[in-house]
Amino acid sequence: MPAVPPQSRKRLMRSSTDKKLGGVCAGLGAYLDLDVTLVRVLWVLAVFCGGTGLLLYVVLWIVLPVGPLYVPVATQTQTTATP
């Protein structure tokens, strides 16, 4: 089994950009490749139907690290002076 390079390995982290409360649902959606809205709806159903969803959300909010803030870096283009 070939080793996976560390750059392509997914990590479960809270989202630092797409968060409504703590970024847990957005982080889970990114990790599982699911739509964030679907994850949020399923989480609300787990809170109201099972009751343990709220406790699990709070635990994940505390345990999961915050993902790095993605800031696109603008590159400067060099213009050449024409005589």
Side-chain angles (χ1 to χ4, degrees):
M1 183 172 192
V4 178
Q7 291 84 10
S8 66
R9 202 179 280 172
K10 283 187 179 181
R11 293 188 58 200
L12 181 58
M13 292 190 266
R14 294 182 312 167
S15 174
S16 59
T17 55
D18 183 19
K19 56 172 134 177
K20 299 295 180 194
L21 188 61
V24 174
C25 290
L28 280 172
Y31 182 76
L32 299 173
D33 289 329
L34 292 174
D35 185 34
V36 180
T37 306
L38 177 66
V39 174
R40 288 179 179 137
V41 168
L42 290 175
W43 207 278
V44 167
L45 288 175
V47 167
F48 288 124
C49 295
T52 58
L54 183 63
L55 177 64
L56 185 60
Y57 190 91
V58 171
V59 168
L60 288 176
W61 193 350
I62 294 169
V63 172
L64 291 180
V66 178
L69 183 63
Y70 174 71
V71 178
V73 177
T75 58
Q76 292 183 351
T77 57
Q78 293 181 350
T79 57
T80 56
T82 55

